[in-house]
Amino acid sequence: MSATYPIDHTHDPAATSWVSSANQPGSPFPLQNLPFGRFRLAGSGGECHNGEWRNGDWHIGVAIGDQVLCLRTAGLVDHADMHRLMAQAPTARQALRHALFDGLKAGSAKQAAWAAALVPQADVEMGLPCPVGDYTDFYTSIHHATTVGRQFRPEQPLLPNYVWVPIGYHGRASSVIPSGMPVRRPKGQTRPAAGSEQPNFGPSRRLDHELELALFIGQGNALGEPIGIDQAEAHLFGVALFNDWSARDIQGWEYQPLGPFLAKNFASSVAPWMVTMEALAPFRQPFVRDAALPAPLPYLSSPDTLAHGVINIELEVWLQTAQMREAGHPGDRISQSNYADAFWTAAQLVTHHTVNGCNLQPGDLLGTGTLSGPMPEQAASMLELSNGGQAPITLSTGEQRSFLEDGDSVILKGWCNRAGAARIGLGECRATVLPARA
Amino acid sequence: MSATYPIDHTHDPAATSWVSSANQPGSPFPLQNLPFGRFRLAGSGGECHNGEWRNGDWHIGVAIGDQVLCLRTAGLVDHADMHRLMAQAPTARQALRHALFDGLKAGSAKQAAWAAALVPQADVEMGLPCPVGDYTDFYTSIHHATTVGRQFRPEQPLLPNYVWVPIGYHGRASSVIPSGMPVRRPKGQTRPAAGSEQPNFGPSRRLDHELELALFIGQGNALGEPIGIDQAEAHLFGVALFNDWSARDIQGWEYQPLGPFLAKNFASSVAPWMVTMEALAPFRQPFVRDAALPAPLPYLSSPDTLAHGVINIELEVWLQTAQMREAGHPGDRISQSNYADAFWTAAQLVTHHTVNGCNLQPGDLLGTGTLSGPMPEQAASMLELSNGGQAPITLSTGEQRSFLEDGDSVILKGWCNRAGAARIGLGECRATVLPARA
């Protein structure tokens, strides 16, 4: 919990819903979760455009068990504009959460009316949770930064600015795509072979996933008006699973001096459901920085924010090869980590991003960066798992992987789990690698 | 000219308009130009949001002399959606240009009807030329890259990838603002003083301009579908003056390893008028790469594109200090350069950007990067003009500048000039530096 997002009756672990599937142990979407997403009836389709479909209307929905509650049909909103919903102040969002919780709770008088607002998740297509205006990617795992830095710069794995600056850079918004959409292997230039001056060109041979979380901005700020650290939490709407696909060989050749570009902007997959800051309240814990490190600068420091700065979210990466898929095998879990190991809090990212006056807008996506933990099995990319391709991992089928191969599916999963709280899930972010275009 | 953008009767230098101000020598907007922008009546305002105003309607206009022609009032479009206009195929855009040219030409039967569609430029407020979905900044001046690289990395000013890769990175779309909007000096972290470990924090002391051109995308491409080099020109809509403000001290501390972030995303100013690829046809010339350098890879090579690859645009930076402004002094011209000196063509930028399948969308902005020429007086940023702050420039008032000071206005200007063609202008991109917030 934090001052901005208190724990209240909507977090009561004993509460149950009249939507019976929400009460099944193991459901990611019990009554205490209530994540937001955008859905439409499957097959009402159209042309993809920035993860939107030009035809076919998107509706705002909330996941409950194996169903979606349509907010407009339920009379809770009179529009389908997710940005408008997200831009509300936390108090208004809490009121909406309370209305949802009370209406979906077992015994609610709303049951008769709202039953008509439910659609089975199996019958809908999910879009991006919201249109993304700007996408910024951070680098908040010191473990990822150190391991990757060691591969790129053995003499200085962690640069001196890392413990002071929440390092971030701008990503591509147009290629943020919904979970389920396949990802085509990119082509590009890669470093020349030894003795040659001319770079190679062709399909990436070091295609990788990055397990991240997408932090979605709710209320924005005006250009020129920084968001102070004590106000930062109020500008966050929620969190979704996020896979920032990367082509390591393209990255290694292009990234100096201005950072990654084509190595990243061919696709970034986001899960359909935004779990709100309100729902995450029971999973907050103090942020404690290693005492051997200097304290952050004052603009990034706040006792209140640090007291609840960490969000404990268990994360997993699963890899399902084509061979596994054909055999009905769900895939292997290839890493496990936790957002609690991030070096910078979500509030610090918001405040740092705006300290120069940069304006954030509703629906902007802040990627956490690859969320690797301190242990080798917590490595959240193939680059780390295979030590830069030098030590392939062996899967349960006997197949080996240094990087991703055509036909591989990567599935991200996430859960919040704490004694005394209802377990809530983030759902899945899933995509399959297609071969490069001929 | 190029195969995509032929020279035709709309480039006839002898043609005149019934809008008499368009025929004045020195007007940037003669009949042969016809640039597009978005305007509304001054004072019909509202809240700024990504350079948009939430209230107050924007209209699509074309500059002619000192007037704006409203395209809807003139019956040329039935909407106010600039993206929709830009996304048309070049043939449709050429048809619109022909209709505009023929209707505005002296003696046209349209004069009576269209006179009612004119508004004096002095009476309108200009917005962003179009909403910007994604903004990419390139680095196409080898002179800028070498000079700046020498300051950051004396041992290796130009990295080995430069002659192979059109280096680019993603910028911030939300803070792309219209010309005329002031720019607040950003605060941020800067490198620790010698002997200290802790970075400094405060207003930037090395605030800079960057003279660039914004290349606007017309037709987009689907995700996963690269744009081949021979098709690239058809995806460009036009060009506008662009100032990518930069805080060099913030940049120097934050930019490793993932590139510039807060040093750039506090503001980027764009001029109101997009000069179309059609209008630029007479100012094309062959691109010739230094024979000592290797040829570009095949995906970036095309005889047709290279034959007309260069766009000759004369560019200027003017600096007007507060003292000058008070004295009615228009400012000093502090540099002059030409887009013809860029190392990569516009077509190469489009093709490189999409070679991995990245999708471009109508209205996306591709910055050329700082367009410094080979001579010292062609340096397109203060960083270069003052040799990293070590050699302040002296202005005509006796004032000195290493970097920009509060109250300074930076004015970018641009012209196309060639014997046998009508001289056309890009107008101005102007903004004044406000002091940092207390």
Side-chain angles (χ1 to χ4, degrees), chain A residues 91-126:
Chain A
T91 48
R93 286 160 35 190
Q94 278 159 16
L96 177 58
R97 176 176 169 86
H98 286 188
L100 282 162
F101 182 92
D102 297 343
L104 288 167
K105 193 175 173 183
S108 165
K110 294 280 188 194
Q111 178 172 354
W114 284 15
L118 291 181
V119 193
Q121 287 172 26
D123 292 349
V124 302
E125 180 175 22
M126 299 299 302

Side-chain angles (χ1 to χ4, degrees), chain A residues 49-50 133-134 136 138-139 153 159-161 164-165 167-175 177 186-187 189 197-199 201 223-225 253-262 265-266 294 297 299 352-353 355-356 358-361 364 437, chain B residues 49-50 133-134 136 138-139 153 159-161 164-165 167-175 177 186-187 189 197-199 201 223-225 253-262 265-266 294 297 299 352-353 355-356 358-361 364 437:
Chain A
H49 179 79
N50 184 16
D134 270 296
T136 300
F138 283 96
Y139 201 51
R153 294 173 305 278
L159 295 171
N161 59 7
W164 298 100
V165 179
I167 296 290
Y169 67 106
H170 294 294
R172 180 87 192 168
S174 72
S175 54
I177 56 174
K187 289 184 178 178
Q189 293 190 32
E197 194 185 59
Q198 176 163 321
F201 180 83
L223 186 65
E225 304 284 353
W253 173 235
E254 75 171 359
Y255 93 111
Q256 288 285 16
L258 297 177
F261 181 50
L262 299 185
N265 66 13
F266 57 94
L297 292 182
Y299 79 96
H352 182 68
H353 202 317
V355 70
N356 67 344
C358 181
N359 54 332
L360 303 179
Q361 300 186 120
D364 283 352
R437 202 161 283 283
Chain B
H49 178 81
N50 185 15
D134 271 294
T136 299
F138 283 96
Y139 201 50
R153 293 174 305 277
L159 296 171
N161 58 7
W164 299 99
V165 179
I167 296 289
Y169 67 106
H170 294 294
R172 180 86 192 171
S174 71
S175 54
I177 57 174
K187 290 184 177 178
Q189 294 189 34
E197 194 185 57
Q198 177 164 319
F201 180 82
L223 185 65
E225 302 285 351
W253 173 234
E254 75 171 2
Y255 93 109
Q256 288 283 18
L258 297 177
F261 181 50
L262 299 185
N265 66 12
F266 57 96
L297 292 183
Y299 79 97
H352 182 67
H353 203 319
V355 69
N356 67 345
C358 182
N359 53 332
L360 303 178
Q361 299 184 120
D364 283 352
R437 202 161 281 285

Side-chain angles (χ1 to χ4, degrees), chain A residues 223, chain B residues 128-129 135 172 175-184 209-214 216 240-246 264 266-272 365 410 412 428-432:
Chain A
L223 186 65
Chain B
L128 288 181
Y135 155 40
R172 180 86 192 171
S175 54
V176 175
I177 57 174
S179 172
M181 187 177 285
V183 171
R184 193 167 285 288
H209 63 271
E210 288 192 336
L211 165 64
E212 302 199 13
L213 288 170
F216 283 99
L241 293 163
F242 186 59
N243 184 345
D244 190 35
W245 303 89
S246 299
K264 299 275 193 174
F266 57 96
S268 309
S269 300
V270 64
L365 191 167
V410 175
L412 311 182
E428 287 186 357
C429 180
R430 173 188 291 265
T432 303

Side-chain angles (χ1 to χ4, degrees), chain B residues 297-321:
Chain B
L297 292 183
Y299 79 97
L300 294 173
S301 301
S302 150
D304 183 58
T305 303
L306 294 178
H308 314 288
V310 168
I311 313 175
N312 192 305
I313 303 177
E314 297 171 15
L315 299 164
E316 299 179 350
V317 183
W318 290 65
L319 177 60
Q320 184 192 47
T321 67

